[in-house]
Amino acid sequence: MLLCLLGSASGGATDRSDGEVKLKVTATAYNSLPAQTTGNPAVGAWGDRLKPGVKAIAVSRDLLAMGLEPGAEVTIEGLPGRFRVMDKMHRRWQRKIDIYMGNDRDAALEWGKRPVVIRWSGQDS
């Protein structure tokens, strides 16, 4: 499992409408650098290959329990495109995502930690 570069937990209400889940979370960033993990830095928690350019996120385990499944596509307000859930975080984190930034450590540090709203399709909504 890849480890977080930066982090903290955050609260926020869940909004489910029209089959879409909207949730405010804390977002940090991470890289696939050997110094930032105890395992293979290019492999996510479910065996997905991570490489620079891939739009991926790691999610806190409480988000998995809320229906944000491995492989789900997520939009992150303020960022273009859709991100795929390809990794999970240590169980100590709650309401948190980690945005994959390849090997660009400076970009991850520049992102820092900030609140964002994420959206995904809720299957049981």
Side-chain angles (χ1 to χ4, degrees), residues 76-108:
I76 302 170
E77 284 189 4
L79 293 177
R82 299 178 68 75
F83 293 77
R84 187 172 299 275
V85 176
M86 296 177 74
D87 206 354
K88 64 183 172 182
M89 301 169 72
H90 190 278
R91 63 184 45 89
R92 73 178 168 262
W93 302 116
Q94 292 187 6
R95 298 245 177 157
K96 186 168 183 305
I97 65 169
D98 225 0
I99 302 166
Y100 177 65
M101 297 201 172
N103 295 329
D104 193 344
R105 184 176 180 274
D106 290 337

Side-chain angles (χ1 to χ4, degrees), residues 12-100:
T14 305
D15 179 19
R16 293 176 181 259
S17 59
D18 298 329
E20 180 180 78
V21 180
K22 177 181 173 183
L23 182 68
K24 184 175 181 179
V25 298
T26 297
T28 55
Y30 74 116
N31 305 110
S32 53
L33 299 172
Q36 295 178 7
T37 184
T38 56
N40 184 337
V43 178
W46 299 286
D48 294 302
R49 303 285 301 162
L50 297 170
K51 61 183 178 181
V54 169
K55 289 190 172 225
I57 61 171
V59 297
S60 57
R61 294 171 191 223
D62 61 324
L63 298 182
L64 294 170
M66 294 172 75
L68 189 52
E69 299 177 354
E73 290 190 347
V74 175
T75 58
I76 302 170
E77 284 189 4
L79 293 177
R82 299 178 68 75
F83 293 77
R84 187 172 299 275
V85 176
M86 296 177 74
D87 206 354
K88 64 183 172 182
M89 301 169 72
H90 190 278
R91 63 184 45 89
R92 73 178 168 262
W93 302 116
Q94 292 187 6
R95 298 245 177 157
K96 186 168 183 305
I97 65 169
D98 225 0
I99 302 166
Y100 177 65

